[in-house]
Amino acid sequence: MSASSRASAPPRVLTVAGSDSGGGAGIQADLKTMLALGVHGMSVLTAVTAQNSLGVQGAWELPVEAVRAQYRSVVDDIGVDAVKTGMLSSAELVETVAELIGGTAVPSVVDPVGVSKHGDSLLAASALDSVRTKLLPVATVATPNLDEVAQLTGVEVESEDGMRRAAAAVLAYGPTWVLIKGGHLSGDAVDFLTDGSQEHWLRAPRFDNRHTHGTGCTLASAIASGLAKGQSVPEAVTAAKEYVTGAIAAGFALGGGIGPVDHGWRFGTGGA
């Protein structure tokens, strides 16, 4: 690629995650988010799911060699400015992806996906230790929700007061920053961002809208998009929170269950 054509290319973000056939979460949500935020999205598929608004009906993990080949194919030729991880269902996959990210000198956002919006398990219990010891240490930002915090650290958060304790427990595993997502608490949607010294509380109104499928994937991808543009972690997280809040407000019904957030809400697409 010539210098002139490279100069005109948008920032590049790579998602390493599973496919959601219903289009609301996973790779599909990641790429929609990246397009909406003006970056070039690329993907490494880790698993294929049969999934709709009612839940996950099946999941098939890709071989480690397929994941590694996709990653090297993209990074070695096109390059990358930020990486985001999602569904990594086995210990072997977690360790492989951690090794790949550790060897790529760009910011990384780790969404330690444990369960789907419908309560379906997306991470083998045997993989939890690999997430703690291999993946979290290479993360620029880790973005666990309260269920994932409990799964990873044993810390149960029932109020805002517990979010600092949760953050400290996750930071102990080595990520540079952690964003504790408090969406499962009552009241405003409050998230807590810290690197152990700086603290940022991010608040947004809670909308009476059950169609929130893909929220976590979308937020992590939005953060990675901001980092790829050269934003600081607090700047990227603040902008991502604003984007996902709008997407949740515009979430729309699809099928008979929980519909997706609207990734194109700024453009009047989706369910608008």
Side-chain angles (χ1 to χ4, degrees):
M1 183 179 284
S2 70
S4 60
S5 60
R6 174 66 191 94
S8 63
R12 304 151 295 173
V13 182
L14 177 62
T15 169
V16 184
S19 166
D20 171 6
S21 53
I27 289 277
Q28 288 81 353
D30 297 339
L31 294 176
K32 291 174 187 178
T33 299
M34 293 168 191
L35 179 64
L37 296 179
V39 301
H40 176 67
M42 307 171 292
S43 61
V44 171
L45 213 61
T46 61
V48 175
T49 68
Q51 189 172 166
N52 56 26
S53 71
L54 301 173
V56 179
Q57 290 78 44
W60 298 266
E61 184 182 306
L62 265 69
V64 163
E65 56 267 31
V67 172
R68 187 185 298 276
Q70 290 175 82
Y71 191 99
R72 290 265 60 95
S73 178
V74 170
V75 173
D76 294 348
D77 171 50
I78 299 172
V80 66
D81 297 302
V83 179
K84 175 262 176 185
T85 71
M87 178 184 176
L88 305 172
S89 48
S90 70
E92 191 178 15
L93 265 183
V94 170
E95 291 171 15
T96 298
V97 171
E99 175 194 336
L100 290 167
I101 291 175
T104 309
V106 298
S108 60
V109 181
V110 169
D111 184 15
V113 177
V115 283
S116 76
K117 183 70 67 180
H118 306 87
D120 301 292
S121 178
L122 299 175
L123 181 71
S126 58
L128 277 172
D129 197 53
S130 298
V131 172
R132 296 182 191 107
T133 62
K134 304 290 187 184
L135 190 59
L136 288 176
V138 300
T140 306
V141 189
T143 63
N145 63 30
L146 299 184
D147 289 341
E148 290 154 357
V149 167
Q151 199 177 30
L152 289 165
T153 70
V155 174
E156 301 276 354
V157 178
E158 296 175 355
S159 68
E160 283 186 34
D161 293 341
M163 293 177 78
R164 274 197 183 90
R165 193 162 51 94
V170 177
L171 283 173
Y173 291 117
T176 307
W177 291 82
V178 62
L179 177 68
I180 303 294
K181 299 181 295 192
H184 293 178
L185 298 176
S186 58
D188 285 351
V190 180
D191 301 330
F192 177 57
L193 174 70
T194 183
D195 63 353
S197 56
Q198 292 186 56
E199 292 186 349
H200 303 268
W201 292 92
L202 297 97
R203 297 179 183 275
R206 185 177 299 277
F207 299 101
D208 184 19
N209 185 0
R210 63 191 288 262
H211 301 302
T212 56
H213 186 50
T215 309
C217 308
T218 299
L219 179 65
S221 293
I223 295 169
S225 298
L227 295 176
K229 294 175 181 178
Q231 295 174 355
S232 68
V233 170
E235 288 171 339
V237 171
T238 300
K241 172 82 168 177
E242 180 186 347
Y243 170 72
V244 81
T245 298
I248 291 169
F252 52 92
L254 277 184
I258 300 172
V261 301
D262 182 1
H263 298 96
W265 66 273
R266 285 176 171 160
F267 314 115
T269 61

